[in-house]
Amino acid sequence: MSGVLGLLGVAVVLLGLLTGRDAIFSTDGLTTQILKPVRATADEVGLIFIPDRFIKGEQYTQTARAIQEASELRVWVALTGSYLLNVADSQQVARSAREAIQKLKNAGMKSRNYVGVGHGIGGHYLQEYARKSALKAVILLGSSLPRDTQLRDFPTPVLTLAAELDGLTRITRVAEEYAKLADDVLWNVLLGIYRTPVILLEGVNHAQFASGLMPPHVSLGDLAPNVTEEQAHLKVGEYVNHFLTATFSSEDSHIEQALRNLTAAFFQCVVKLQPFLVIKSLDTDGEESLWTILAQEHFAAEYGPRVGTYNMVLENPMFFTKQPTSFFAGDVLVLGTATLIHAEDKPNPLQNQMVKESPQELNMKLVSKDAMWKALASKNDTTLRSEANTCASLNRLGLELALALSGKTARERYETRGRPIIVEEDMMRTSNLVWAPTPLQMWEDEAGLHVKSVAMVTPITNFINAGAHYCKVMSPYRAMEWVNVDSLRPYSSQFN
Ligand SMILES: *[C@@H]1O[C@H](CO)[C@@H](O)[C@H](O)[C@H]1NC(C)=O
Ligand SMILES: *[C@@H]1O[C@H](CO)[C@@H](O)[C@H](O)[C@H]1NC(C)=O
Ligand SMILES: *[C@@H]1O[C@H](CO)[C@@H](O)[C@H](O)[C@H]1NC(C)=O
């Protein structure tokens, strides 16, 4: 009897060895490296790192160490790597996460608090896997949930830890995630701040979530950081710790401190990211374009006090045939303007990372200065006729708005390091048939980003379509995106 048990025991040990062996030299080539906790006793969590594409598992060692050091928790780490084709796709993530969990257990981890940590594209595939898995939480480094996923709908807590100078997951994309959080906070009071925080690390770039040599898509696309790698890792450690503590700690005093820190982080994000939402909302609220109303008022200039403007956002073919209108309501000249917005295509989530968030251009149909003068002079023959503003002046105004809404540091960075926006003279067109299909001209070179409006002004003596001023102009949000992101990248013809 005891002999049989003994044999069974040997078999179990052998099996253990075999499965252990399996995990080290797994047949599919995936590897997992375990970093043991630095604390002897505390609540346990196990972080399973999924690398960005073409980045090796061990390139997260220092980031992971910084988290272990920052935390009072007993933090285990599994660094997964050696993915086929150097991309951790969903199927491989599922296999490597299973292997990592097995190895964490084998190494002595007792709790089941497994947390996926994904960087860049790794974060994208991780969150797909995490929707139905043993993971209790997700941490996205320089990555985000998909656009159409609300934070509150994700099955586990998620930390979106973003970097201000990330050239791949751009700050304007992060602002979208912040907008979701702000919306959740409005409805669920504070819960979102702790369960699905969105945190922006100042001065950090995409590469600094890892260390070592970066693959070309990162080194070309990323922005120069304003903190050292060590400082970046310290920040990552602190905020990941606040999230882990809030989610997994059993020590009330630690949780309380973590919640306080997460609340502070949220309000820092309000300051940094709300201006992006403000400038974005100028383009349109879905029905009207405040930016177009500002543009018409800029054109009205000294007539401003005697005019009022409204706007309609239209699509073609409605926009194509629409004319700007004016009529008097009492002494006020009411100007009716129209706008067409060309949104940037946002194709698949993997290409998303380099895609601009702001619209490509706005097409505006405004009332010309001459037409305003003619109408106002008909009521008051001392009204002076004066020089009209150009569409180019609207591009300059858009840039001023963008600079005013960017933070002081971002403004200084743009002024000292960024390639400027260069506003070119308007390209004049004489017929709607030619104006309509000619896009706003924007091109990049060493000197900066050139912006050239396509304009058309019809004489007030015209029989049809008299006194219209058409402009294809830059969105102020595009200017803000340029100031905060694209201007900071050195020019590379390969990249454009
Ligand atoms: C950060 O920016 C400041 C001011 O722009 C500069 O003086 C400093 O050297 C930068 N630090 C790093 C680490 O790049
Ligand atoms: C967290 O809060 C403590 C105490 O208020 C503060 O000293 C610390 O700097 C905060 N950490 C972060 C990352 O904000
Ligand atoms: C008539 O136009 C002039 C010049 O624009 C202005 O100063 C004056 O106030 C206007 N008068 C009335 C009655 O609107």
Side-chain angles (χ1 to χ4, degrees), residues 238-239 242 257 261:
E238 270 185 76
Y239 287 106
H242 298 327
Q257 181 58 50
N261 280 119

Side-chain angles (χ1 to χ4, degrees), residues 225-228 231 412 416:
N226 193 239
V227 297
T228 65
Q231 288 169 325
E412 283 170 5
T416 55

Side-chain angles (χ1 to χ4, degrees), residues 60-281:
Y60 297 89
T61 308
Q62 285 164 41
T63 314
R65 289 277 183 230
I67 298 169
Q68 288 180 316
E69 289 297 334
S71 189
E72 304 274 4
L73 297 170
R74 204 166 132 73
V75 180
W76 291 83
V77 174
L79 303 175
T80 70
S82 307
Y83 288 90
L84 190 65
L85 305 178
N86 292 305
V87 181
D89 62 38
S90 325
Q91 287 189 356
Q92 293 190 83
V93 167
R95 280 206 303 279
S96 72
R98 272 199 303 275
E99 283 184 18
I101 288 173
Q102 193 55 51
K103 289 190 92 181
L104 287 168
K105 282 183 185 163
N106 293 351
M109 181 176 161
K110 297 286 187 298
S111 92
R112 292 192 179 174
N113 293 335
Y114 306 119
V115 179
V117 184
H119 183 209
I121 302 288
H124 169 79
Y125 286 118
L126 167 66
Q127 62 81 22
E128 265 180 22
Y129 163 73
R131 286 167 192 261
K132 282 185 186 171
S133 75
L135 299 181
K136 298 274 174 62
V138 169
I139 296 172
L140 301 173
L141 306 176
S143 183
S144 70
L145 291 186
R147 285 176 196 285
D148 57 3
T149 302
Q150 291 302 322
L151 296 172
R152 61 175 174 269
D153 292 339
F154 203 74
T156 71
V158 188
L159 166 63
T160 304
L161 193 57
E164 183 186 28
L165 295 170
D166 192 325
L168 285 85
T169 302
R170 45 183 57 228
I171 191 169
T172 45
R173 179 69 188 83
V174 180
E176 298 292 311
E177 296 306 298
Y178 159 76
K180 292 181 194 170
L181 177 61
D183 202 44
D184 285 353
V185 167
L186 211 60
W187 296 106
N188 307 342
V189 196
L190 291 177
L191 189 63
I193 298 179
Y194 312 135
R195 190 182 170 272
T196 54
V198 175
I199 294 175
L200 188 72
L201 302 177
E202 285 179 33
V204 176
N205 75 1
H206 189 82
Q208 289 179 321
F209 286 114
S211 38
L213 199 64
M214 285 296 127
H217 76 280
V218 177
S219 48
L220 282 177
D222 219 354
L223 311 178
N226 193 239
V227 297
T228 65
E229 193 171 289
E230 200 189 345
Q231 288 169 325
H233 291 165
L234 284 175
K235 287 183 195 236
V236 172
E238 270 185 76
Y239 287 106
V240 167
N241 171 47
H242 298 327
F243 174 69
L244 293 175
T245 302
T247 313
F248 297 108
S249 179
S250 59
E251 306 255 352
D252 281 354
S253 64
H254 292 172
I255 297 175
E256 223 171 89
Q257 181 58 50
L259 297 188
R260 244 182 262 135
N261 280 119
L262 290 174
T263 310
F266 175 73
F267 285 106
Q268 279 166 16
C269 259
V270 174
V271 174
K272 279 272 174 185
L273 296 176
Q274 192 69 33
F276 287 89
L277 303 187
V278 169
I279 203 154
K280 179 185 173 184
S281 72

Side-chain angles (χ1 to χ4, degrees), residues 341-379:
I341 298 172
H342 279 292
E344 184 86 38
D345 279 343
K346 299 185 181 92
N348 85 47
L350 299 185
Q351 290 159 11
N352 254 354
Q353 300 212 345
M354 299 302 294
V355 171
K356 294 179 179 65
E357 292 293 318
S358 52
Q360 275 173 355
E361 63 178 77
L362 274 80
N363 299 357
M364 299 177 173
K365 289 187 172 174
L366 308 174
V367 177
S368 75
K369 188 83 185 267
D370 269 0
M372 287 183 257
W373 164 78
K374 189 180 166 196
L376 292 170
S378 72
K379 290 246 164 182

Side-chain angles (χ1 to χ4, degrees), residues 306 380 382-384:
R306 300 167 68 194
N380 172 353
T382 65
T383 302
L384 296 175

